[in-house]
Amino acid sequence: MSGPTEQRLAQYRASRGAAQPAAPTAGPDSGWRSGRSAQGAPRQAEAAAGPPSGWALWLAGHVSLLKFLLWLVLLGLFLELELGLPYLVVSSLYWLCAGTHGLGQRRRGEMSAYSVFNPGCQAIQGTLTAEQLERELHYRPLAGT
């Protein structure tokens, strides 16, 4: 930053009582806070604008609603083209695939509901095992009780 932008920033900090500039925060969503783009280059126009507000924040918080509204509009378009059923089937398959996370998308330490995908075939808590089912069918007490 140089010139008028730097002067405006200094005036803003002085009016807020901040003598030292704020340290940039780290993280993927902190680009507007630090005044730098994702590549690390200073943002000239966005640095002076500050954090998003109003409409931009509302849009960011309602992405799912906007996707659903877009889906409804496209459904109406495909219904007019008499392709509503294929659109419904294809979009349902897409949402099914997009909503279920693949093996590579699980968080670190998160276990799969299917024990064969877990390290050491470890079952999650509450899973009914064959041994437990056999004990319950033969009315045997639980081991260790």
Side-chain angles (χ1 to χ4, degrees), residues 6-75:
E6 193 171 84
Q7 291 172 355
R8 286 179 51 205
L9 182 59
Q11 289 173 353
Y12 173 76
R13 287 183 180 148
S15 69
R16 291 292 209 167
Q20 296 293 328
T25 58
D29 63 334
S30 62
W32 63 267
R33 290 185 192 108
S34 66
R36 296 189 172 275
S37 67
Q39 292 78 22
R43 294 180 181 166
Q44 297 298 328
E46 294 176 17
S53 61
W55 185 248
L57 284 176
W58 185 88
L59 284 176
H62 294 82
V63 173
S64 296
L65 175 67
L66 294 173
K67 286 180 182 179
F68 179 72
L69 291 175
L70 175 65
W71 181 83
L72 281 178
V73 168
L74 288 174
L75 178 63

Side-chain angles (χ1 to χ4, degrees), residues 39-106:
Q39 292 78 22
R43 294 180 181 166
Q44 297 298 328
E46 294 176 17
S53 61
W55 185 248
L57 284 176
W58 185 88
L59 284 176
H62 294 82
V63 173
S64 296
L65 175 67
L66 294 173
K67 286 180 182 179
F68 179 72
L69 291 175
L70 175 65
W71 181 83
L72 281 178
V73 168
L74 288 174
L75 178 63
L77 174 71
F78 279 95
L79 284 173
E80 285 294 319
L81 298 172
E82 296 183 6
L83 294 170
L85 186 61
Y87 175 75
L88 187 67
V89 169
V90 170
S91 63
S92 297
L93 288 174
Y94 168 76
W95 287 112
L96 179 72
C97 292
T100 57
H101 300 296
L103 290 176
Q105 294 181 353
R106 271 191 280 148

